[in-house]
Each structure stands twice: as structure tokens, then as C-alpha cells.
């Protein structure tokens, strides 16, 4: 179908709108300004429980009726929230036991937000009541385009260690393990005399004098997510019933820098559309890489389907050590980077900057400076830009390779008493991702047990916990002709944090054709040099090395110094129709690049092109056409060769051959195909 044959809904543009913080006169100005900016969707009511239900069972919907009506009249759609992240003060007065308890036994207090024990029956009941009331009243309202359940499950706190949670944990464990015998075996309770003789003896892994049972902690992390998921499902099912046809979501925070307690592989299956919130690490001068990684991960947890960026910031946030403002053009670049990687729009926290409360120094679409400001001018320009891109909707981002990521493995690796505190799964994933970003490759993330057969290259940056099924899957992928690249300290334990039998890396030994005789964590500041022989660069590693024995693999780089000197460092194993690489050291990004160049040749990946560093090129494609996004994160003009002539959608210019992209700017070319 040609790109202009079907009328297409616009990309979403808007943000969290909190009219309850403002007198009604301001609402009229809000609506006029939203229209000026091209806003077409706002998230409403996220924190409004106390205003909507001022006393138990007594509702005040008048204000919400009015504002939804005004928005509807202005043609602005509503992502209506259930406010279940902020139970009112009256609720906690009646149910202080619903406040969550920390691992150390501190009961968190009311006075901020998100203080919820997800196992609390009183909370569940109250949450269902307000959700039902909202669903009944607005479920068929024509302005309601999306249900936004709760807010960012997992942040600021997910786990609760109270007695009610303990009871809930025990029933969750009974379902997972079936018998006490199996639980004792899975948790290895023979160690340190922790054997349980009755279910009632089992507690959450509260603060202990020394390291707590790691399998118990891992199960508790799983349980905590499932307890919250039960609450999400309850609200979602109610809304599906009361509001047929309207999609239900909850905003994720997939970036491992922002939320580390939720297994989004699991949660993505539960929402009608994946939505995500992302905030830059302001201090990081190349923070656009972390953004791209988060966007790729968001798209991937949803199986590649288009998703929606529900929150980011127009400029500074208030909760980092320094509220560093965005530079001119940065906000649009951030927004369009998310769009390039699959988002169907760009939304912000929040519409109008608050005057009161904890977030008053957070940037907004309408800043304290008002509309005679750079932010406002950029907000209106972005609205026009997104309007010009409507035709890209439903196209999908095209990836070059896959990277394996697993929250459970990360949780397990982060527990205490690992061989090195400094070897961090998140850091490894970020470094490998940065090396791939610098090669201008687009990454899909994949669960370790997912079908990988469509990818020429699969990178496993950190998979300490590798189930037997995942080990088989990765091996099968390579045998069938794939190129697998596995990084250090992967394949070590099973789902119960038990070391796989035999030499490390138990779950990946056969695939990699090596064994690891001993881990060799390095001293603080110590580095190792890797020698690849003639024609290969010398590489540097830090933090981690291993004594590796090849058992079928060939040595590509070996340790030139350090505790494993003379031994294999990077190996390559041919198996079946493919190859499996093992990188036993913790390499810096330039060194990872060299490994990728070598493994990429096996995978048939194109060599690094002539694109300048920090010029991001991403393709979205669908039956309506192919769209090339070029994001110039540098301050100087960049030239990019185009695979075909086309039309640049933000400027409307025809373009062929080479495209010049001004410093800090974005161009989106619809390729003539
Ligand atoms: C998000 C949250 C918003 C707001 C924002 C500030 O995590 O969902 O409500 O607090 O952070 O950056």
C-alpha cells in the first residue's frame, strides 16, 4: 500500500497532565496551549485518588468529568490512569499494615508515593473499588483512548517484608516448589543448617547477620514481582470488562539504570501495548546510547511491536545530583530516537511545571519560564515535527543482531559473595551495547530461551544464571549457523543459583568448547593485556580474567600478562554450521569493538561504514514504506549516504545520494522503494 493510501492516526504527543494541582482558570489556558503545541494525548489522574475518593466510598468525579469533557471538545485524547499508586491518607489511617516494610524491618510512612504492600488484602480491595468506579464512569467515554494502570510498578519500592507478605510468599513458594523437600533441595538448605521442616518456618529474606541464602533471595525477588503483577492483572481484567476495546497498559521503566526489580519479559505479555518511561543519565555526555538501549529493550520486550514512550523530560529532572538542562535540539533528538526505535509518539512528564511539592524543579512542557522560552518553542516545534511523521505508524524497527538480556540472571549476579563485586551485568550489557552502537548496528534484545534463528549474530554480555534450556537454545542457535558471542562469567548457575555440575561454564561449556578452571578477579586498577598475534590489535581488560582451557575451541587472543598469562582469553569454537566465541576477560569498549569485528566477519555483518561517531541511523519499515532516521548527536553537520532517494519528512525536501544533517538535528527520510 502506498504511504498515503490509508488515513493514519497521528503519533501521540503530550504528557502527564495534573489539573488537580491548578485552579480551573488555568485549565482553559492549558487546553489552548495544548492545541498550540499539537498535543493529542494526555495522561490524566495518575495521582488523583485522594481527590477522586475523598472519603472511603465517596466519590467526587465532577472535576474529572469537566476536564475530560474539555479535552474531548478540543480533540485531545485521554490516557486515563487508575490512581492506585497513591492510596489516600484515610486509607493508611484505617490500614497502617498496608504500608510496606523494608528488608531491615522499617515500615515506610505515608507522605510520598508508592508506599504499597502488594500483598495487602485491604489495598487490593480499595484498588479494585476505585478502578471499578473509574471504569464504570469513563469506560465508554469517547475521549478515553488508553488505560494507564497504576504508575511504574517496581518504583520506588516493590518488595515488602511484612507478615502479610510472608504469608503470601509461602503460598507462592508452595505453588512453585510443590513440596518442602523440593524447596529445601532447590534452596540448598543443607548448607548452614537452614533446612525447613514446616512451611510456617519460612520467612522473607529479611536482614540477616551475614549473607542470606541466595536462592531464597532470588525466589523472593520473583515473588515480589508476581505479587504486583497479580494486582495489575486484577485492575486490567476489570477495565477490559468495563471498557471494551480500550487498550490497557502500565508504564514500564525498562532501563536497567532506572528500575531493576521487574522482569519485563514477563510483564510485557500482560499489557495491550508496551509503554515506557525513560530519563537520561544527565551526567553522561553520551547518554543518547543509554536512551537507545532502553528504547531497543522496550521494543524487544513487546516482541518488536510498536510501543509508546509515555514519559521523558523536556529538560532537567529534579532527582539526579545535578539537574543538568538539555541543550537546544536535545529534547527533539531524544524524542525522535525513541520513535526511530519503535515508539508511536513522545510523551513527557509533565505538561505544566508544578509550583508545589517534591517535583517543582522538574522540567515540563510548559516551564516556569512560561511560553516565551526556548523549551516552549521547542515543544511546539516538536509537535509540528511529530505531526509530519504520522505515516510511520505501525512500521517496525529493523535490527541487525540480538543481545541476550535476562532480569533474573542480573538479580542473581547482584547478590552478595560473588567472585568480584566489580563485575556487573548491567555494566557489561551497557559496554557491549555501546560497542555495537559505535558500529552503527541496531540491536534487538532477546530472552535467553527465545527463538534466535533470525539473527546473524547474538551477543550474550552477561548471563551468570543460564537455565539448561537456555544453554541448549544458545548452543542450537550456533549449531544451526548462527554466530554466538558469549562474555565472561556466563552459564555458571541454574535457576536456583546452584552451580551447574562439572567445570564452568556448565550451561555453555559444550557450545563454547572451553572450560574455565579458575576465575581470576583482578585487583583494583589492575589491567590485563590480550595478544591476538599478527594482524590483531592488543586489547585491554580490567576487573576480571579467567584461566581457560580450550576443549575444541581455538584461541584467538591470549593473555599476555596477569594471572592467566599465556592462557586463552578469547576463543572461537566451530560447531555445526556456526561458531561460538567466548570472551573471558572484562574488556573495555574499544577492545569489544575488535572482538565484534572478528566475530562480525563470521556472522557476515557489514564492516564498519564511514558514518561518523554519534550519528545514529535507524530504519523503520513496514508495508507503507521504509523510513530512515538520522540523528546527529554531534554539534557539527554530518553527511550520510542514502540507500535510495527519498523525501525528508521534517523539511519536506527531496533528497538523493547524500543527506546533510545539521549538528544536533534529526532527519527522517521516506525512501522511494
Ligand atoms: C517518573 C514518574 C513521574 C515523575 C517522573 C519524574 O518515574 O512516573 O511521575 O515522578 O519520574 O522524572
Amino acid at each position: 500500500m502506498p504511504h498515503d493510501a490509508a488515513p493514519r492516526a497521528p503519533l501521540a504527543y503530550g504528557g502527564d497532565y495534573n489539573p488537580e494541582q491548578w485552579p480551573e482558570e488555568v485549565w482553559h489556558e492549558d487546553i489552548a496551549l495544548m492545541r498550540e503545541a499539537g498535543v493529542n494525548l494526555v495522561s490524566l489522574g495518575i495521582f488523583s485518588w485522594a481527590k477522586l475518593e475523598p472519603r472511603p466510598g465517596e466519590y467526587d468525579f465532577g472535576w474529572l468529568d469537566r476536564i475530560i469533557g474539555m479535552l474531548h471538545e478540543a480533540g485531545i485524547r485521554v490516557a486515563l490512569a487508575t490512581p492506585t499508586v497513591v492510596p489516600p491518607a484515610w486509607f493508611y489511617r484505617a490500614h497502617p499494615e498496608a504500608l510496606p516494610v523494608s528488608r531491615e524491618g522499617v515500615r515506610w510512612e505515608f507522605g510520598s508515593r508508592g508506599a504499597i504492600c502488594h500483598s495487602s488484602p485491604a489495598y487490593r480491595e480499595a484498588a479494585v473499588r476505585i478502578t471499578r468506579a473509574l471504569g464504570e464512569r469513563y469506560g465508554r467515554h469517547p475521549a478515553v483512548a488508553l488505560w494507564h494502570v497504576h504508575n511504574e510498578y517496581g518504583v520506588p519500592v516493590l518488595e515488602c517484608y511484612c507478615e502479610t507478605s510472608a504469608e503470601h510468599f509461602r503460598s507462592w513458594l508452595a505453588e512453585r516448589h510443590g513440596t518442602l523437600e523440593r524447596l529445601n533441595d532447590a534452596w540448598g538448605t543443607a548448607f548452614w543448617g537452614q533446612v525447613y521442616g514446616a512451611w510456617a518456618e519460612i520467612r522473607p529474606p529479611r536482614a540477616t547477620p551475614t549473607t542470606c541464602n541466595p536462592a531464597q533471595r532470588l525466589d523472593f525477588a520473583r515473588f515480589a514481582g508476581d505479587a504486583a503483577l497479580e494486582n495489575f492483572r486484577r485492575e486490567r481484567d476489570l477495565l477490559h470488562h468495563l471498557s471494551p476495546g480500550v487498550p490497557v497498559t502500565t508504564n514500564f521503566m525498562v532501563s536497567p539504570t532506572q528500575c531493576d526489580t521487574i522482569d519485563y519479559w514477563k510483564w510485557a505479555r500482560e499489557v495491550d501495548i508496551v509503554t515506557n518511561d525513560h530519563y537520561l543519565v544527565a551526567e553522561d555526555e553520551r547518554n543518547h546510547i543509554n536512551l537507545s538501549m532502553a528504547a531497543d529493550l522496550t521494543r524487544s520486550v513487546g516482541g518488536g511491536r510498536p510501543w509508546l514512550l509515555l514519559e521523558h523530560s523536556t529538560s532537567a529532572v529534579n532527582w539526579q545530583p545535578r539537574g543538568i538542562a538539555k541543550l537546544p535540539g536535545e529534547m527533539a533528538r531524544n524524542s525522535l530516537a525513541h520513535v526511530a526505535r519503535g515508539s508511536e509518539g513522545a510523551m513527557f512528564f509533565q505538561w505544566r511545571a508544578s509550583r508545589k511539592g517534591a517535583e517543582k524543579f522538574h522540567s515540563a512542557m510548559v516551564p516556569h519560564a512560561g511560553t516565551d522560552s526556548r523549551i516552549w518553542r521547542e515543544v511546539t516545534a516538536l509537535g509540528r515535527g511529530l505531526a509530519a511523521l504520522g505515516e510511520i505508524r505501525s512500521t517496525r524497527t529493523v535490527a541487525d543482531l540480538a543481545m541476550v538480556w535476562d532480569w533474573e540472571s542480573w538479580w542473581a549476579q547482584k547478590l552478595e559473595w560473588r567472585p568480584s563485586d566489580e563485575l556487573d551485568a548491567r555494566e557489561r550489557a551497557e559496554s557491549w551495547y555501546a560497542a555495537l552502537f559505535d558500529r552503527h548496528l541496531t540491536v534487538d534484545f532477546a530472552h535467553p530461551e527465545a527463538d534466535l534463528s533470525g539473527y546473524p549474530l547474538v551477543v550474550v554480555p552477561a548471563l551468570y544464571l543460564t537455565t539448561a534450556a537456555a544453554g541448549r537454545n544458545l548452543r542450537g542457535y550456533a549449531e544451526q549457523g548462527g554466530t554466538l558471542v558469549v562474555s565472561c562469567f556466563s552459564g555458571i548457575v541454574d535457576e536456583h543459583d546452584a552451580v551447574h555440575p562439572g567445570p564452568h561454564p556448565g550451561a555453555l561449556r559444550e557450545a563454547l568448547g572451553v572450560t574455565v578452571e579458575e576465575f581470576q578477579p583482578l585487583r583494583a586498577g589492575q589491567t590485563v593485556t590480550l595478544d591476538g598475534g599478527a594482524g590483531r590489535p592488543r586489547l585491554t581488560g580490567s576487573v576480571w580474567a579467567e584461566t581457560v582451557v580450550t576443549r575444541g575451541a581455538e584461541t584467538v587472543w591470549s593473555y599476555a600478562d596477569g594471572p592467566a598469562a599465556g592462557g586463552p582469553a578469547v576463543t572461537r569454537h566451530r560447531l555445526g554450521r556456526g561458531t561460538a566465541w567466548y570472551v573471558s576477560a572484562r574488556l573495555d569498549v574499544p577492545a569489544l569493538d575488535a572482538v565484534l569485528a572478528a566475530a562480525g566477519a563470521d556472522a557476515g555483518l557489514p564492516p564498519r561504514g564511514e558514518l561518523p561517531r554519534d550519528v545514529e541511523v535507524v530504519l523503520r519499515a513496514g508495508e507503507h514504506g521504509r523510513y530512515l532516521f538520522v540523528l546527529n548527536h554531534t554539534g557539527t553537520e554530518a553527511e550520510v549516504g542514502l540507500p535510495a532517494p527519498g523525501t525528508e519528512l521534517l523539511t519536506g525536501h527531496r533528497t538523493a545520494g547524500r543527506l546533510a544533517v545539521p549538528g544536533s538535528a534529526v532527519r527522517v527520510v521516506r525512501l522511494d522503494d
Side-chain angles (χ1 to χ4, degrees):
M1 198 193 306
H3 68 271
D4 52 0
R8 309 186 66 73
L11 293 172
Y13 188 45
D16 284 14
Y17 181 34
N18 298 305
E20 67 269 40
Q21 294 178 16
W22 300 93
E24 295 205 13
E25 308 87 83
V26 178
W27 300 2
H28 295 278
E29 187 189 82
D30 284 335
I31 304 266
L33 290 177
M34 284 177 191
R35 290 181 64 116
E36 186 181 326
V39 164
N40 54 32
L41 180 69
V42 292
S43 305
L44 206 58
I46 301 171
F47 303 107
S48 307
W49 194 342
K51 178 112 178 132
L52 289 169
E53 190 180 359
R55 276 162 297 280
E58 238 178 67
Y59 300 105
D60 174 9
F61 289 122
W63 67 276
L64 192 56
D65 289 353
R66 285 195 293 288
I67 190 65
I68 294 184
M70 284 165 71
L71 288 162
H72 183 50
E73 220 166 274
I76 298 165
R77 296 171 308 152
V78 171
L80 190 57
T82 64
T84 50
V85 70
V86 282
W90 55 252
F91 170 78
Y92 289 115
R93 188 168 169 214
H95 297 286
E97 80 286 355
L99 287 161
V101 172
S102 75
R103 214 180 150 222
E104 291 72 29
V106 176
R107 197 175 280 282
W108 302 110
E109 261 301 345
F110 177 77
S112 96
R113 69 172 182 195
I116 289 158
C117 164
H118 280 289
S119 299
S120 157
Y123 169 74
R124 282 182 195 175
E125 199 189 300
V128 162
R129 210 171 54 217
I130 185 73
T131 301
R132 176 173 292 117
L134 282 163
E136 281 172 351
R137 192 166 188 96
Y138 302 106
R140 291 166 199 268
H141 194 295
V144 176
L146 179 67
W147 284 99
H148 172 307
V149 168
H150 203 267
N151 192 63
E152 292 177 347
Y153 283 96
V155 191
V157 59
L158 178 74
E159 295 178 344
C160 170
Y161 292 78
C162 75
E163 270 312 307
T164 311
S165 299
E167 196 55 51
H168 193 193
F169 182 41
R170 286 189 281 269
S171 51
W172 183 92
L173 288 170
E175 204 162 300
R176 178 171 170 80
H177 295 280
T179 66
L180 257 190
E181 222 180 339
R182 283 214 288 273
L183 178 138
N184 277 311
D185 182 49
W187 284 11
T189 52
F191 180 80
W192 281 355
Q194 293 167 354
V195 181
Y196 294 103
W199 288 100
E201 291 163 6
I202 303 174
R203 314 271 175 97
R206 296 181 177 128
T208 41
T210 182
T211 303
C212 184
N213 184 314
Q216 182 185 0
R217 293 201 63 187
L218 190 53
D219 263 352
F220 192 71
R222 293 176 175 126
F223 154 76
D226 284 357
L229 190 54
E230 278 181 27
N231 285 334
F232 170 73
R233 284 191 186 127
R234 203 170 284 115
E235 291 192 35
R236 177 202 60 196
D237 293 350
L238 198 49
L239 292 169
H240 277 160
H241 175 65
L242 296 170
S243 190
V246 179
V248 180
T249 192
T250 181
N251 47 342
F252 292 173
M253 260 213 150
V254 304
S255 174
T257 42
Q258 274 148 22
C259 173
D260 60 2
T261 51
I262 295 283
D263 179 352
Y264 290 109
W265 291 122
K266 200 176 213 180
W267 281 66
R269 294 197 293 265
E270 306 279 345
V271 295
D272 296 328
I273 174 175
V274 168
T275 57
N276 193 50
D277 299 348
H278 182 266
Y279 291 94
L280 291 179
V281 181
E283 203 64 55
D284 173 4
E285 288 188 15
R286 296 185 78 210
N287 52 25
H288 50 273
I289 302 179
N290 174 283
L291 183 158
S292 296
M293 182 170 165
D296 284 344
L297 190 50
T298 309
R299 179 186 68 255
S300 302
V301 295
R305 283 177 289 149
W307 55 279
L308 179 60
L309 174 71
L310 218 48
E311 288 182 27
H312 71 316
S313 67
T314 57
S315 190
V317 300
N318 61 298
W319 45 265
Q320 293 184 10
R322 296 175 191 83
I324 298 170
K326 291 192 181 177
L327 293 171
E330 196 174 351
M331 174 190 78
R333 232 167 42 245
N334 292 162
S335 301
L336 296 174
H338 286 289
V339 173
R341 290 173 192 271
S343 176
E344 298 280 69
M347 308 275 291
F348 292 90
F349 176 84
Q350 63 176 329
W351 163 251
R352 184 184 280 276
S354 303
R355 283 189 53 231
K356 299 176 185 173
E359 294 188 314
K360 53 184 165 292
F361 296 118
H362 195 291
S363 59
M365 298 174 84
V366 182
H368 290 146
T371 52
D372 185 9
S373 61
R374 176 180 69 84
I375 287 185
W376 178 251
R377 283 185 284 277
E378 291 197 12
V379 162
T380 54
L382 178 59
R384 288 191 297 276
L386 288 169
L389 297 181
E391 65 184 80
I392 67 154
R393 276 197 71 141
S394 316
T395 57
R396 291 184 174 214
T397 303
V398 180
D400 298 297
L401 71 142
M403 182 182 269
V404 167
W405 176 253
D406 182 33
W407 276 273
E408 291 203 353
S409 177
W410 184 31
W411 299 339
Q413 188 175 336
K414 273 195 313 181
L415 293 171
E416 298 132 322
W417 290 10
R418 298 329 191 190
S420 168
D421 287 354
E422 283 179 285
L423 188 65
D424 177 61
R426 184 186 100 192
E427 182 283 329
R428 277 299 75 193
E430 287 175 348
S431 290
W432 279 93
Y433 186 91
L436 292 161
F437 184 92
D438 283 347
R439 295 185 82 80
H440 302 281
L441 295 169
T442 302
V443 176
D444 270 350
F445 285 86
H447 186 271
E449 294 178 21
D451 175 12
L452 301 165
S453 57
Y455 299 103
L457 180 73
V458 171
V459 175
V460 181
L463 200 63
Y464 161 71
L465 184 161
T466 307
T467 61
R472 280 194 300 275
N473 187 45
L474 294 169
R475 179 182 171 175
Y477 161 74
E479 278 171 348
Q480 298 307 310
T483 301
L484 179 70
V485 180
V486 176
S487 160
C488 54
F489 202 48
S490 296
I492 309 297
V493 298
D494 67 10
E495 59 272 38
H496 305 304
D497 197 45
V499 171
H500 285 289
H504 302 306
L508 295 170
R509 207 164 49 213
E510 303 298 324
L512 298 173
V514 298
T515 55
V516 173
E517 198 172 301
E518 203 166 1
F519 303 133
Q520 299 287 0
L522 304 179
R523 296 199 159 77
Q526 188 184 356
T527 57
V528 284
T529 310
L530 276 57
D531 182 5
R536 288 207 187 87
R538 281 168 87 83
L539 312 178
T540 309
S542 58
V543 171
W544 185 266
E546 290 173 0
T547 303
V548 175
V549 180
T550 51
R551 310 218 182 247
E554 58 181 302
T555 300
V556 184
W557 271 273
S558 37
Y559 288 105
D561 52 25
V570 177
T571 59
R572 175 175 181 265
H573 186 216
R574 284 166 191 270
L575 73 166
R577 291 188 279 125
T579 52
W581 291 69
Y582 185 53
V583 182
S584 68
R586 179 187 177 277
L587 299 180
D588 57 18
V589 174
L592 295 179
D593 179 74
V595 174
L596 284 170
D602 276 351
L605 283 186
R608 176 201 296 286
E610 31 123 30
L611 275 173
R613 182 175 139 112
D614 288 332
V615 174
E616 187 177 343
V617 176
V618 184
L619 186 68
R620 274 184 75 151
E623 55 186 33
H624 313 290
R626 295 200 302 151
Y627 300 87
L628 197 71
F629 285 70
V630 184
L631 301 110
N632 185 353
H633 298 291
T634 77
T636 51
E637 182 176 286
E639 273 218 344
V640 176
L642 295 176
T647 304
E648 202 292 309
L649 298 175
L650 298 170
T651 58
H653 295 157
R654 286 290 302 162
T655 169
R658 299 190 71 76
L659 172 75
V661 184
S664 309
V666 182
R667 294 290 180 259
V668 184
V669 179
R670 182 210 306 131
L671 300 168
D672 301 344
D673 275 323

